[in-house]
């Protein structure tokens, strides 16, 4: 428990602390590997010297063989440590990636509908996938280079200084220049990286839009226009990607050239050392060792410079996701709330900076009542339903029992209200699993309640028929009824149903409504609909129009509200003419 409390999801250091066991293995294996790397130039120098001795007649092949065997054994040990280190680093990166995405997803799904809509689907996807991956990749490279570069640079530098400290200091003037250039490029790398992230978010949003609305664009002949718009987003993405990635392609070779410039000094002054006219006296073995050691130091230093750019890119991603990186509390168990009255006193709603959608609504609904909600198109019917879920802030007072809705914890709201929106939101799973959601019940009872049992029985796999993504394998009416069956299976004291019968014929709608009344006799049902011929059976009606939410009975509204009467009689007349 203490470790969980100490972990701070919005601090990078916490992710390193959480993986200390894996990082300990990285440390041990990394030290063995990088210190062992010093053996390579030493052996190479000794073998070069032994070869000169053999050619001069003062050495033996056996001594060369012993050196070669020892070199191979040490190399095997070093490479084994390298494998362990890389495996542990990858394990560290995978664990951090999983932890970050779990935290970020937990933050996203707990955002309100308004916040998610403001975030944008494309931006949310980019943050949830690409930004986390880039951030973790920067952490992985940092962890790797601490040993592959930091420890190795120090070890190589000590070895060079032990052979000729003057020449070592002179030749090592160049690698720091690559570090300086990498730091100076920080602003460019971060600016182009941020632009690339934004372009990626826009492209993700455009891709989703084309996939979701492909049929609509085709039917209305807008495919060419949408294709042009998509190509524009794609071109913007490609341009941003080129600008962001060109530096990662151009800079590393530049870092390597600058770092390796010291080899010219080593060749010049090293030759003088061999001739005995330099700062110290060398043989060919020492010269070979010194040059090989510096070459490796230069290569490592150029990698360190490249690391700076990778870390800069990771910083861009971290700044984007940091506001979402907060540890979500464990989901509370959903309490089983008892039936109670739902009351509204002068309740209303308005978007920030806008006029009232409706105001001054007062309502008293008892368990077992069905409240019809209707009004002209775009009058705020669905907004009223979501307001009762506290997805939007409301004015006035809304109470369930004696408790204000805004004071309820999220788990209590889930236990209080069930919701069925316009879209069925079905899972790519079986019909049975879409209804039960893991509960141990009889799915057929709820299929009968929505008049879908016979149609499901006629399907090849019956209850195990997979509905496809979003219910694509079902008709509109079937998908709507299946979603309603799921909602009825998980009944709550308050049931908010947004136009649940829009895809049904009137006969089926009447049957389903009768079953709804029976199953929800202990619940308050708020039924949002623009089809009014069932409204005479409602206990109360909320009519939303011109910024008002009038609450009355169907009969009273017919007498007191001309607009409601007109809408009802137009539908009633249509029904009579059809007959």
């Amino acid at each position: 428990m203490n470790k969980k409390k100490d972990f701070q999801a919005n601090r990078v250091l916490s992710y390193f602390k959480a993986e200390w066991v894996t990082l300990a293995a990285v440390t041990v294996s990394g030290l063995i590997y990088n210190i062992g790397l010093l053996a390579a130039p030493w052996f190479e120098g000794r073998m070069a010297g032994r070869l000169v001795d053999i050619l001069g007649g003062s050495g033996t092949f056996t001594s060369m063989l012993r050196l070669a065997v020892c070199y191979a054994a040490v190399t095997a040990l070093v490479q084994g440590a390298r494998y362990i280190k890389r495996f542990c680093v990858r394990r560290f990166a995978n664990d951090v990636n999983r932890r970050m995405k779990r935290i970020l997803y937990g933050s996203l799904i707990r955002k309100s509908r308004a916040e998610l809509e403001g975030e944008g689907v494309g931006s949310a996807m980019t943050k949830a996938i690409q930004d986390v991956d880039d951030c973790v990749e920067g952490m992985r490279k940092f962890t790797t280079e601490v040993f592959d570069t930091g420890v190795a640079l120090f070890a190589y530098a000590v070895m060079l200084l032990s052979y000729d400290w003057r020449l070592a200091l002179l030749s090592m003037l160049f690698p720091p220049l690559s570090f300086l250039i990498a730091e100076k490029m920080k602003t460019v790398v971060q600016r182009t990286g941020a632009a690339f992230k934004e372009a990626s978010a826009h492209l993700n949003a455009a891709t989703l839009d084309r996939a979701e609305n492909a049929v609509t664009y085709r039917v209305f002949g807008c495919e060419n226009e949408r294709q042009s718009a998509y190509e524009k987003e794609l071109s913007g993405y490609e341009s941003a990607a080129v600008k962001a990635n060109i530096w990662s392609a151009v800079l590393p070779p530049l870092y390597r050239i600058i770092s390796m410039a010291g080899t010219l000094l080593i060749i010049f002054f090293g030759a003088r050392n061999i001739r005995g006219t330099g700062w110290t006296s060398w043989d060919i073995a020492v010269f070979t060792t010194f040059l090989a050691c510096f070459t490796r130091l230069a290569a490592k230093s150029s990698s360190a410079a490249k690391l700076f750019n990778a870390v800069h890119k990771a910083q861009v991603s971290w700044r984007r996701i940091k506001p979402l990186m907060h540890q979500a509390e464990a989901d509370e168990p959903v309490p089983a709330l008892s039936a109670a009255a739902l009351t509204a006193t002068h309740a209303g709603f308005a978007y920030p900076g806008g006029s009232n959608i409706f105001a001054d609504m007062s309502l008293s609904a008892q368990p077992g009542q069905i409240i019809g909600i209707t009004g002209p198109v775009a009058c705020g019917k669905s907004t009223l339903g979501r307001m009762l879920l506290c997805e939007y802030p409301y004015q006035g007072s809304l109470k369930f029992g004696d408790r204000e809705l805004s004071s309820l914890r999220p788990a209590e709201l889930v236990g209080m209200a069930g919701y069925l929106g316009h879209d069925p939101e079905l899972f790519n799973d079986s019909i049975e699993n879409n209804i039960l959601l893991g509960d141990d019940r009889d799915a057929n009872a709820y299929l009968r309640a929505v008049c879908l049992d016979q149609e499901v029985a006629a399907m090849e796999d019956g209850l195990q028929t997979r509905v496809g993504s979003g219910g694509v394998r079902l008709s509109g009416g079937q998908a709507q009824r299946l979603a309603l069956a799921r909602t009825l299976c998980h009944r709550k004291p308050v049931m908010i149903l947004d136009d649940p019968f829009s895809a049904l014929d009137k006969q089926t709608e009447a049957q389903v409504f009768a079953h709804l009344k029976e199953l929800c006799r202990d619940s308050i049902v708020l039924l949002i609909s623009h089809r009014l011929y069932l409204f005479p059976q409602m206990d109360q009606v909320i009519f939303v129009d011109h910024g008002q939410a009038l609450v009355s009975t169907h009969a009273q509204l017919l007498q007191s509200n001309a607009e409601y009467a007109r809408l009802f009689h137009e539908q009633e007349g249509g029904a009579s003419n059809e007959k």
Side-chain angles (χ1 to χ4, degrees):
M1 289 295 293
N2 291 335
K3 289 183 179 180
K4 290 184 178 179
K5 289 182 179 179
D6 292 341
F7 181 81
Q8 295 178 282
N10 63 347
R11 294 179 64 86
V12 173
L13 184 60
S14 285
Y15 295 92
F16 285 97
K17 289 181 177 179
E19 300 296 327
W20 71 270
V21 175
T22 304
L23 291 176
V26 172
T27 301
V28 174
S29 57
L31 288 172
I32 294 173
Y33 166 58
N34 285 281
I35 294 175
L37 288 177
L38 296 177
W42 185 87
F43 274 108
E44 290 169 6
R46 288 295 174 270
M47 287 191 292
R50 196 58 50 86
L51 180 60
V52 172
D53 292 341
I54 292 173
L55 295 175
S58 59
T60 64
F61 177 75
T62 303
S63 61
M64 174 65 90
L65 181 61
R66 281 199 299 268
L67 273 176
V69 171
C70 291
Y71 185 29
V74 170
T75 300
L77 175 64
V78 170
Q79 292 303 315
R82 181 190 187 195
Y83 171 79
I84 294 173
K85 182 186 73 68
R86 289 198 168 188
F87 174 82
C88 292
V89 167
R90 178 52 62 187
R91 173 72 179 271
F92 160 77
N94 289 344
D95 289 346
V96 171
N97 193 297
R98 182 174 62 249
R99 185 189 293 266
M100 277 190 174
K101 285 182 177 175
R102 184 168 60 242
I103 292 170
L104 191 141
Y105 293 161
S107 298
L108 285 175
I109 64 175
R110 285 170 174 79
K111 277 178 169 284
S112 68
R113 186 181 298 268
E115 289 175 317
L116 284 174
E117 290 172 351
E119 178 77 20
V121 177
S123 180
M125 285 182 61
T126 302
K127 289 179 179 179
I129 300 173
Q130 188 172 343
D131 280 323
V132 172
D133 289 344
D134 288 350
C135 189
V136 172
E137 181 63 11
M139 295 171 68
R140 184 193 69 79
K141 287 183 176 180
F142 174 80
T143 305
T144 300
E145 298 302 334
V146 163
F147 297 101
D148 283 0
T149 300
V151 175
L153 281 176
F154 178 77
Y156 287 137
V158 170
M159 191 171 184
L160 290 173
L161 290 169
S162 68
Y163 281 105
D164 186 338
W165 65 271
R166 297 178 185 84
L167 180 54
L169 291 177
L170 189 62
S171 59
M172 286 192 296
L173 288 175
F174 294 95
L177 291 178
S178 63
F179 301 161
L180 181 62
I181 293 175
E183 179 60 27
K184 292 298 182 182
M185 295 305 297
K186 174 181 178 179
T187 302
V188 176
V189 171
Q190 290 188 343
R191 185 179 66 249
T192 55
F196 172 67
K197 299 297 182 184
E198 292 298 322
S200 179
H202 292 320
L203 181 63
N204 284 335
T207 302
L208 285 172
D209 175 69
R210 291 210 65 196
E212 291 178 352
N213 302 306
V215 175
T216 302
Y217 294 142
R218 189 180 309 123
V219 169
F220 288 96
C222 300
E223 283 188 303
N224 291 336
E225 295 178 11
R226 297 314 304 169
Q227 179 65 28
S228 298
Y230 185 76
E231 289 293 339
K232 183 178 179 181
E233 296 291 353
L234 187 59
S235 297
Y237 171 81
E238 291 174 345
S239 176
V242 169
K243 291 177 181 178
N245 294 326
I246 193 170
W247 299 111
S248 61
V250 170
L251 293 177
L254 177 62
Y255 300 150
R256 178 67 64 90
I257 292 171
I258 294 173
S259 297
M260 294 293 289
T263 56
L264 299 175
L265 298 176
I266 293 173
I267 292 173
F268 177 77
F269 290 102
R272 296 182 62 182
N273 285 346
I274 293 174
R275 293 196 302 268
T277 58
W279 290 309
T280 187
S281 180
W282 282 358
D283 58 17
I284 191 66
V286 174
F287 175 80
T288 303
T289 300
F290 193 94
L291 182 60
C293 189
F294 178 80
T295 302
R296 287 171 169 79
L297 180 143
K300 291 295 184 183
S301 66
S302 65
S303 297
K306 184 171 64 174
L307 171 66
F308 290 168
N309 294 150
V311 171
H312 295 158
K313 290 174 67 176
Q315 288 174 336
V316 172
S317 294
W318 177 248
R319 282 198 292 268
R320 283 169 53 85
I321 65 176
K322 186 177 179 179
L324 297 171
M325 301 305 290
H326 47 82
Q327 191 80 33
E329 296 181 1
D331 290 335
E332 301 177 61
V334 177
L337 299 186
S338 302
L342 179 68
T343 57
T345 305
H346 304 298
F349 171 79
Y351 289 106
S355 58
N356 284 337
I357 303 300
F358 57 85
D360 202 28
M361 181 185 79
S362 294
L363 169 72
S364 178
Q366 302 299 320
Q369 289 189 338
I370 298 182
I371 314 298
I373 302 175
T374 192
V377 174
C379 65
K381 301 186 292 294
S382 297
T383 300
L384 192 157
R386 290 199 291 270
M387 186 188 73
L388 293 169
L389 296 171
C390 291
E391 287 191 3
Y392 296 120
Y394 58 83
Q395 304 161 357
S397 174
L398 283 173
K399 289 186 176 182
F400 179 71
D402 59 354
R403 298 188 62 185
E404 192 70 32
L405 295 191
S406 59
S407 70
L408 297 179
R409 302 191 313 275
E412 291 177 315
L413 281 170
V414 172
M416 180 203 76
Y419 179 74
L420 175 62
H422 286 296
D423 299 321
E425 296 184 357
L426 300 177
F427 312 118
N428 187 12
D429 206 332
S430 68
I431 289 176
E432 183 177 46
N433 288 341
N434 265 282
I435 295 173
L436 301 182
L437 300 179
D439 286 359
D440 185 16
R441 302 186 192 181
D442 179 15
N444 282 305
Y446 302 101
L447 289 174
R448 286 192 294 271
V450 297
C451 301
L452 191 59
D453 53 322
Q454 294 182 10
E455 294 171 58
V456 171
M459 296 178 184
E460 184 176 353
D461 296 321
L463 282 172
Q464 302 309 313
T465 300
R466 298 186 71 86
V467 304
S469 179
V472 68
R473 299 182 62 189
L474 303 177
S475 69
Q478 289 174 331
Q480 193 175 60
R481 281 178 287 163
L482 180 57
L484 179 58
R486 178 180 60 202
T487 307
L488 294 176
C489 177
H490 303 276
R491 289 191 300 279
K492 303 293 174 60
V494 177
M495 303 287 286
I496 303 169
L497 309 179
D498 194 346
D499 222 359
F501 308 136
S502 61
L504 307 182
D505 61 79
K506 292 181 179 180
Q507 182 179 356
T508 304
E509 180 177 358
Q511 294 176 19
V512 174
F513 183 75
H515 296 153
L516 173 67
K517 292 175 65 176
E518 177 63 24
L519 285 172
C520 296
R521 56 184 177 275
D522 295 327
S523 300
I524 298 170
V525 178
L526 297 163
L527 197 155
I528 303 168
S529 180
H530 64 281
R531 298 166 67 167
L532 305 182
Y533 60 88
L534 287 176
F535 272 48
Q537 301 182 51
M538 306 290 179
D539 295 286
Q540 297 184 70
V541 174
I542 302 175
F543 184 61
V544 183
D545 188 26
H546 293 99
Q548 291 185 312
L550 304 176
V551 181
S552 188
T553 64
H554 169 72
Q556 291 171 340
L557 279 173
L558 280 180
Q559 296 178 355
S560 63
N561 191 285
E563 180 63 16
Y564 179 82
R566 183 186 67 79
L567 292 173
F568 177 74
H569 289 307
E570 281 182 356
Q571 294 187 27
E572 187 181 38
S576 300
N577 291 335
E578 288 175 5
K579 294 178 181 177

